């Protein structure tokens, strides 16, 4: 990896993506080898985000990579890709000694001018990482994908992807294939606001990928024409055998019909040997924190298994594909529809993996 913006980021790192009001709780989980933290503002409070970052670095001694995401691309009042960067935002990250992420606006499906301008401005900022919040058609539509990769190659600047979707963008046909093509542009790529697909992305060459603490930080929600209240979803967590996020209640119900002890026990620090459904017995207001802590620790375990230093890149890709296949079968055994992204990774990644077997 090249470029001063990436000095603090270890190759193939799994990061935690949280809001500023969650950062102090998430920091101990993220402060590990090949870990790190991405923090977005809480309720658009950019000053509070910068203050939180300073506290983590100076008072808490946070030693893993720390990245700040301004998230100006999110919400009903999101800015377009043509919006200029805020010089103060760029300067404050540099003063804190952090990688410099641009405070980019959203790149709509037909906004090639905005895309090109965003990348051009980012290339003019020494050591910057261009945050690219994209309509998913930039990856799954072949013509738009060609335009995207052309501009990324021309700018030759590291990029941090944020993908829009009502749910999981990697469930959409063509998004996995589009990501793999973008990775061939020979610039460092980071993935923000992701979930289990972060592991697949890391196996296929993404430099670092961030998993959100809550659903709103595991993808970019579309902006609706008329603002509408969004009910707070029930907490979900990663169920390792199916490589997917599941509601805690659904896990508890599935356990009642499938009693195999090896399927439900979890030795992660959050579960401490208990069956993973223990969280469903908590009061609802107390479930969110352990649900996330379990999820990220399981994903960290999987990252270490898939991407150990002794594992060759081609072997990691094959192992990921095999785990996706096994997770599909296990999901069906439990009576669940498999997570669509599992099929996308199996169907759309093999050709690329085969082409790199000698890597």
């Amino acid at each position: 990896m090249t470029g001063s913006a990436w000095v603090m980021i270890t190759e193939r790192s799994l990061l935690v993506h949280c809001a500023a009001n969650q950062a102090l709780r998430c920091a101990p989980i993220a402060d590990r080898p090949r870990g790190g933290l991405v923090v977005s503002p809480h309720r658009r409070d950019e000053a509070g985000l910068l203050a939180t970052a300073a506290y983590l670095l100076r008072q808490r001694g946070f030693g893993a990579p720390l990245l700040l995401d301004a998230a100006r691309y999110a919400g009903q009042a999101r800015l377009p890709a043509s919006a200029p960067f805020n010089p103060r935002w760029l300067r404050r990250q540099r003063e804190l000694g952090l990688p410099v992420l641009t405070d980019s606006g959203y790149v709509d499906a037909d906004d090639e001018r905005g895309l090109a301008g965003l990348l051009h401005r980012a290339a003019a900022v020494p050591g910057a990482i261009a945050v690219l919040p994209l309509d998913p058609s930039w990856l799954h539509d072949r013509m738009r994908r060609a335009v995207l990769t052309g501009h990324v190659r021309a700018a030759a600047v590291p990029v941090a992807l944020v993908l829009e979707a009502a749910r999981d963008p990697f469930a959409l046909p063509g998004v996995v294939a589009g990501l793999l093509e973008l990775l061939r542009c020979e610039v460092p790529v980071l993935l923000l606001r992701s979930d289990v697909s972060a592991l697949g992305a890391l196996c296929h060459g993404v430099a670092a990928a961030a998993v959100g603490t809550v659903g709103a930080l595991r993808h970019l929600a579309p902006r609706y024409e008329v603002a509408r209240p969004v009910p707070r979803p029930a907490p979900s967590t990663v169920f390792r055998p199916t490589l997917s996020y599941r509601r805690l209640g659904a896990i508890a119900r599935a356990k009642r019909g499938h009693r195999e002890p090896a399927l439900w026990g979890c030795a992660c620090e959050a579960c401490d040997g208990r069956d993973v459904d223990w969280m469903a017995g908590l009061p609802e207001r107390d479930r969110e924190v352990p649900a996330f802590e379990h999820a990220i620790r399981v994903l960290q375990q999987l990252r270490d298994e898939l991407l150990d230093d002794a594992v060759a890149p081609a072997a990691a890709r094959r192992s990921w594909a095999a785990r996706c296949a096994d997770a599909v079968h296990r999901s069906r055994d439990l009576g669940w529809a498999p997570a669509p992204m599992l099929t996308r990774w199996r169907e759309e990644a093999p050709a690329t993996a085969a082409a790199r077997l000698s890597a």
Side-chain angles (χ1 to χ4, degrees), residues 16-19 22-31 36-37 56 60 62 213 292-293:
V16 177
H17 197 149
C18 69
Q22 303 168 318
L24 297 185
R25 184 178 292 274
C26 292
I29 304 172
D31 196 354
L37 195 59
L56 284 172
R60 294 284 292 269
F62 186 77
T213 53
F292 171 70
E293 289 184 353

Side-chain angles (χ1 to χ4, degrees), residues 238-253:
V238 171
F239 188 59
R240 177 175 170 135
T242 64
L243 286 181
S244 59
Y245 278 83
R246 299 287 172 177
R247 304 280 192 213
L248 299 179
I251 294 173
R253 289 190 296 274

Side-chain angles (χ1 to χ4, degrees), residues 192-241:
L192 305 183
R193 291 190 183 232
S194 190
D195 58 13
V196 180
S197 279
L199 297 174
L202 290 172
C203 287
H204 283 83
V206 164
V211 177
T213 53
V214 294
L217 290 172
R218 291 198 282 269
H219 64 283
L220 172 60
R223 182 176 63 181
Y224 298 100
E225 291 299 323
V226 178
R228 58 191 188 190
V230 178
R232 189 177 185 86
S236 60
T237 196
V238 171
F239 188 59
R240 177 175 170 135

Side-chain angles (χ1 to χ4, degrees), residues 18-21 23-24 38-42 44-59 66-72 86-101 103:
C18 69
N21 64 324
L24 297 185
V38 181
V39 190
S40 293
H42 177 57
R44 308 189 76 84
D45 181 5
E46 184 180 298
L49 170 61
L50 291 165
T52 298
Y55 178 80
L56 284 172
L57 294 168
R58 296 166 182 168
Q59 307 300 320
L66 175 62
L67 293 84
L68 304 185
D69 170 32
R72 298 203 303 167
N86 182 339
R88 180 179 179 277
W89 169 256
L90 304 176
R91 184 179 69 253
R92 287 292 289 128
Q93 291 176 90
R94 205 179 301 281
E95 288 171 352
L96 289 168
L98 301 178
V100 177
L101 270 65
D103 51 334

Side-chain angles (χ1 to χ4, degrees), residues 99-153:
V100 177
L101 270 65
T102 61
D103 51 334
S104 307
Y106 172 72
V107 184
D108 215 335
D110 297 315
D111 191 8
E112 181 182 353
R113 179 176 292 182
L115 170 69
L118 190 164
L119 288 167
H120 178 76
R121 294 194 306 278
V125 179
I129 300 169
V131 175
L132 279 187
L134 300 175
D135 181 284
S137 65
W138 284 108
L139 291 183
H140 67 64
D141 180 272
R142 293 194 178 198
M143 292 183 66
R144 288 194 178 118
R145 188 192 304 170
V147 172
L148 171 66
T149 54
H151 284 298
V152 169
R153 283 192 179 95

